[in-house]
Amino acid sequence: MVTLLGKTLTELQDVAISVGLPRYAGKQLAEWLYVKRVTDFSDMSNISLKGREKLAEQYAIGRTAPIAEAVSRDGTKKYLFKSENGEYIESVFIPEDDRATLCVSTQAGCKMGCRFCMTGTLGFHGQLTTADILNQVFSIPDSAALTNLVYMGEGEPCDNIDAVLRSVEVLSAAWGCGWSPKRITVSSVGYIPGVKRLLDECDCHVAISLHNPFAAERADIMPIEKVYPIEQVVSLLREYDWTHQRRISFEYICFGGQNDTMRHAQGLRHLLKGLDCRINLIRFHESPDNSTLAEFHSSTSEQMEWLRDYLTNIGITTTIRRSRGEDILAACGMLVNSLQQDKS
């Protein structure tokens, strides 16, 4: 069956016509899917019974509940979903005092091969559909409480840019969820073709995984550097205005003695000079068995604070991101569910 979740208003109007409903019923479908968020055609009370029956015969809504949940001692929740193609993916709900953020996956596993990332050890198992992405947003128990969304789960969002852009459109369109794009951040390792489309086709915030300002050192831990160097990524970002509608930030995992020195701080200063941006410093989260990624260790809190203060003092707003959900393998770079591992 064809899935409705993720279809645009124009496409839903075509769906309505295909089952003998008037074109305006497409807007009603959008409201049921994205505002009222029903999971059964029988609940669409302002659509004729015959129309609902035909819809149920030919289409699926596309909503599926998570199949497992883990709760951290800090309140973070990790959910396991099964994709339309039968792959297993995870998303993370992060509650805070004045906001509630969901971190969604865009691929099953990841093909980017960053050597410090546990998710990368899964390998790549396929693209998620727009419905798979939106289902994570709509089907968690805390969906109604969400204030922010980050595309920072499994996979490289800009390597699945069609589905990502379509999901952002549904979330931000007046006929969809009506969210402000400022509530949404899309992350990338610097996959330039997708980053450029992201910059040109939507107004959400952008986060680039940087992790080292020096090309040779970055290439050693992030293979993407050999294809799309970070200097080219930054040059592309300089072509856009970052002072109003959206924000550019750089994610920087701190590895003790490897990228947290004065030399690296000065490298960041040179690389980002004049760019209106911010840096988020992130503690490296070690593998639970301390073997898979044993060559990497986190910087000390003192060193991260020094780096934050140095960068802030030279005019680059820098913060240290508080780790959440580490005890349930939900923190940055730790999404590696056992069911997907068993299939690998």
Side-chain angles (χ1 to χ4, degrees):
M1 284 191 176
V2 177
T3 299
L4 295 187
L5 192 67
K7 288 193 176 296
T8 65
L9 176 59
T10 300
E11 291 169 336
L12 291 173
Q13 290 170 335
D14 292 339
V15 167
I17 292 171
S18 75
V19 296
L21 292 168
R23 187 174 184 81
Y24 68 77
K27 188 172 184 179
Q28 294 173 320
L29 285 172
E31 184 175 12
W32 286 114
L33 289 171
Y34 304 131
V35 180
K36 298 179 179 177
R37 303 188 182 187
V38 300
T39 58
D40 195 297
F41 288 110
S42 64
D43 294 327
M44 299 180 177
S45 56
N46 62 352
I47 295 176
S48 69
L49 176 60
K50 184 176 180 180
R52 282 179 274 165
E53 290 174 345
K54 287 190 174 182
L55 284 167
E57 289 172 2
Q58 300 178 38
Y59 298 95
I61 287 179
R63 290 278 303 281
T64 58
I67 58 177
E69 173 186 351
V71 182
S72 168
R73 55 178 170 264
D74 64 23
T76 300
K77 299 176 183 178
K78 183 172 71 171
Y79 294 99
L80 179 68
F81 287 94
K82 194 171 186 178
S83 74
E84 289 190 306
N85 293 327
E87 304 296 339
Y88 296 97
I89 53 139
E90 293 178 320
S91 55
V92 180
F93 174 71
I94 308 166
E96 297 177 79
D97 292 339
D98 58 348
R99 56 194 284 153
T101 302
L102 183 68
C103 177
V104 297
S105 294
T106 55
Q107 298 177 318
C110 186
K111 65 173 76 167
M112 295 298 112
C114 299
R115 292 202 298 115
F116 51 83
C117 181
M118 289 175 61
T119 306
T121 64
L122 285 172
F124 178 65
H125 296 276
Q127 305 283 19
L128 298 189
T129 65
T130 306
D132 289 327
I133 296 172
L134 291 174
N135 184 57
Q136 296 170 73
V137 180
F138 292 168
S139 294
I140 64 166
D142 297 290
S143 179
L146 290 177
T147 63
N148 295 82
L149 188 69
V150 294
Y151 289 70
M152 296 182 182
E154 293 179 35
E156 165 54 42
C158 287
D159 186 45
N160 190 15
I161 194 63
D162 286 334
V164 167
L165 287 172
R166 180 179 284 257
S167 65
V168 171
E169 180 182 6
V170 169
L171 291 166
S172 58
W175 50 260
C177 298
W179 280 29
S180 165
K182 294 180 180 180
R183 297 171 61 180
I184 302 170
T185 300
V186 178
S187 176
S188 176
V189 295
Y191 185 79
I192 286 181
V195 171
K196 185 166 185 357
R197 287 192 57 194
L198 185 67
L199 295 171
D200 289 339
E201 298 178 35
C202 76
D203 294 321
C204 60
H205 299 314
V206 177
I208 300 296
S209 297
L210 177 52
H211 311 316
N212 201 300
F214 300 115
E217 294 177 27
R218 188 171 188 262
D220 184 55
I221 59 173
M222 300 178 70
I224 192 71
E225 173 70 24
K226 301 171 185 177
V227 183
Y228 299 114
I230 191 61
E231 287 194 358
Q232 291 183 17
V233 178
V234 173
S235 293
L236 174 65
L237 297 173
R238 291 186 188 279
E239 299 175 11
Y240 295 81
D241 179 10
W242 298 101
T243 59
H244 299 293
Q245 291 297 315
R246 57 186 172 188
R247 179 179 66 242
I248 176 66
S249 58
F250 292 91
E251 310 296 295
Y252 198 86
I253 296 176
C254 293
F255 305 108
Q258 297 182 44
N259 69 347
D260 61 352
T261 69
M262 175 59 79
R263 182 173 65 88
H264 292 91
Q266 292 173 338
L268 289 169
R269 179 179 189 173
H270 174 74
L271 177 67
L272 304 178
K273 183 178 181 180
L275 182 64
D276 187 7
C277 65
R278 66 180 62 193
I279 296 177
N280 295 317
L281 303 181
I282 303 168
R283 182 171 62 82
F284 173 66
H285 303 105
E286 297 187 11
S287 173
D289 61 10
N290 201 31
S291 60
T292 308
L293 310 174
E295 64 184 291
F296 298 103
H297 300 281
S298 182
S299 303
T300 63
S301 297
E302 293 76 15
Q303 192 66 12
M304 291 179 68
E305 290 168 2
W306 168 83
L307 183 57
R308 175 199 62 196
D309 294 343
Y310 175 88
L311 293 170
T312 298
N313 288 335
I314 63 171
I316 303 175
T317 301
T318 303
T319 60
I320 297 175
R321 179 182 295 169
R322 183 161 65 98
S323 294
R324 299 289 300 274
E326 187 173 2
D327 57 318
I328 57 169
L329 301 186
C332 181
M334 299 188 80
L335 296 185
V336 56
N337 70 82
S338 59
L339 290 178
Q340 193 65 65
Q341 280 183 310
D342 293 341
K343 292 181 64 175
S344 299

